[in-house]
Structures are given as C-alpha cells and as structure tokens.
Amino acid sequence: MTRTALVTGGTRGIGAAISKKLQDEGFIVAVSYAGNSEAAAAFSRETGIEAYKWDVADYDASAAGIAQVEADIGPIDVVVANAGITRDAPFHKMTPEQWHQVIDTNLTGVFNTVHPIWPGMRERKFGRVIVISSVNGQKGQFAQVNYAATKAGDLGIVKSLAQEGARAGITANAVCPGYIATEMVMAVPEKVRDSIIAQIPTGRLGEPEEIARCVAFLASDDAQFINGSTISANGAQFFA
C-alpha cells in the first residue's frame, strides 16, 4: 500500500533530505515552504516532488494548503512538522517580535500543521506524526530562549498526541537533531563552527541524511509500537 507524506519546510536542508528519503522509501511526498520560491522550484525540478507555498504560522493558510495537498495526492498518512526559524538574541536584548515570530512558527506552526490532518488520521485509524525538535530544546542554548522554548514545547506536543492517538492507530514521535551540516550551519564563521564541533564527542557535524533516516524509520510499519518517543541524533553531545 502506497502511503502519502507531507513535509513542512521540505525544500531545503534537513527537510529536503527527509523528503527525498521518504520518496526513496516509496511514499508519495508533498512539501511546503514559506518564502524561497527559487529554491522550491529547483527542488521540485530535481525530485519531481510538488512544493506548496504557505506560512505554517497562519492556521487558515495551513488548512487551505493541506486541503489542496490532499486533493492532489490523497489523504495524508505521514506528516513531518519540520518548518522552523531562528531569531537569536540574548534574553535581555530579545524583542517581543523575535519571541512571537519563533513561537508562531516553531510551536504554533506544529499545531497548525497537525490539527487539520488529525481528524482524517483518526477516521482512517492510521497516522504518523513526526516533529523535528532540536538538541537545544533538550538542553537550552545561549541567546535562544525563544527557540529552545518552542523545541521543548514540541516534545510536549508529541507526548500528548501519542496518548490521544494510540488507540486510533496514530503514533507521534520527535527527532532532536544536534548540529547538522546544513546551509545555515555551514554559513557561520569557521572559528565558530570549529567551536561547535569541539563540543561534539564524535568530532563532526551530522549530515541531513542521518536525520532523514530517523524520520523514515518512524514513518515505517516497523515503528508502530514506538509512540511518544524522542530520537536524539546529536553525536553524543547531549543525553536526554
């Protein structure tokens, strides 16, 4: 049976790796993106995966986008809530705007993504909800009070949804990546990057494909008894 998957923020970085891996595993995949239409078009040309534009921070836009995805590819069996942003600043300098932007995308955005899909999963008695959290949601991070709060909150969402969805055949799990060799991380000054790597016992950054393999496992039938769990993929940087 061919299943369908939606990956938010799925055209770049970790999201792109997840989308490609799920496609390789036989899923029919759709992705969403918020702003970079050029990158999204390039991703679709490369993979043949349709990219849909909406802001996960907007519930109505999310619901409309998801409805269009389901009209095009069918009911969504697997949803990967990956879309996220950073607006870093030390707490004493953080503005309310920086706080709310991150909360609205990284935390409320998970609600806005999963909530429209949840009734259909319950009705069909099957679903996989996978949220991409972060090591910094587990341990905190300097100048990321907003980001760490959202990523910790995402873990609370997963644990609660797991209990609500279990009898309906729905699992909800999280993946907490450590520092991954994405475009954003590789763009930081080499000196800063070296200081990050020095904190990772494996001595290297992770690869997006390593996170994608975690997601593919959680989306598979082999993971049906794994529910409310967190996979920490951080090179032994932190133990939850």
Side-chain angles (χ1 to χ4, degrees):
M1 178 181 179
T2 302
R3 300 199 185 279
T4 61
L6 169 66
V7 182
T8 65
T11 63
R12 293 190 295 165
I14 291 172
I18 292 169
S19 303
K20 293 174 184 177
K21 179 62 174 176
L22 291 177
Q23 184 184 55
D24 289 345
E25 294 294 318
F27 288 85
I28 299 172
V29 181
V31 299
S32 78
Y33 70 101
N36 194 329
S37 296
E38 184 177 343
F43 173 84
S44 292
R45 285 194 301 270
E46 176 192 352
T47 63
I49 296 172
E50 187 71 25
Y52 299 77
K53 185 176 182 179
W54 73 77
D55 182 359
V56 297
D58 183 326
Y59 184 88
D60 291 338
S62 295
I66 288 164
Q68 185 61 58
V69 169
E70 295 198 315
D72 291 345
I73 69 171
I76 294 168
D77 300 304
V78 176
V79 57
V80 183
N82 168 72
I85 62 171
T86 57
R87 297 290 185 268
D88 295 350
F91 187 61
H92 67 285
K93 294 183 178 180
M94 187 172 290
T95 66
E97 182 181 22
Q98 289 172 317
W99 172 264
H100 286 294
Q101 285 178 338
V102 175
I103 294 290
D104 290 349
T105 297
N106 298 6
L107 186 62
T108 305
V110 175
F111 173 87
N112 294 346
T113 297
V114 178
H115 191 259
I117 298 170
W118 189 256
M121 288 183 170
R122 294 182 71 242
E123 182 179 340
R124 295 188 300 275
K125 303 297 183 186
F126 180 86
R128 296 282 188 268
V129 176
I130 303 164
V131 179
I132 306 303
S133 181
S134 169
V135 64
N136 291 343
Q138 297 173 303
K139 71 177 186 62
Q141 176 68 341
F142 182 87
Q144 284 197 332
V145 167
N146 50 4
Y147 184 82
T150 63
K151 294 303 183 178
D154 289 343
L155 299 181
I157 290 175
V158 160
K159 292 172 184 177
S160 299
L161 287 181
Q163 295 177 62
E164 291 194 27
R167 289 188 180 275
I170 304 169
T171 65
N173 294 288
V175 178
C176 282
Y179 286 92
I180 306 300
T182 60
E183 181 180 336
M184 180 176 67
V185 172
M186 298 307 291
V188 305
E190 185 176 358
K191 184 176 180 180
V192 175
R193 195 162 65 247
D194 288 344
S195 71
I196 291 171
I197 293 172
Q199 301 173 40
I200 305 172
T202 52
R204 67 173 178 88
L205 299 172
E207 296 295 333
E209 292 76 16
E210 292 177 298
I211 307 305
R213 288 194 286 272
C214 295
V215 172
F217 170 66
L218 292 174
S220 73
D221 289 339
D222 290 338
Q224 61 185 335
F225 202 58
I226 299 174
N227 204 1
S229 296
T230 299
I231 295 179
S232 295
N234 59 43
Q237 184 181 5
F238 180 81
F239 302 105

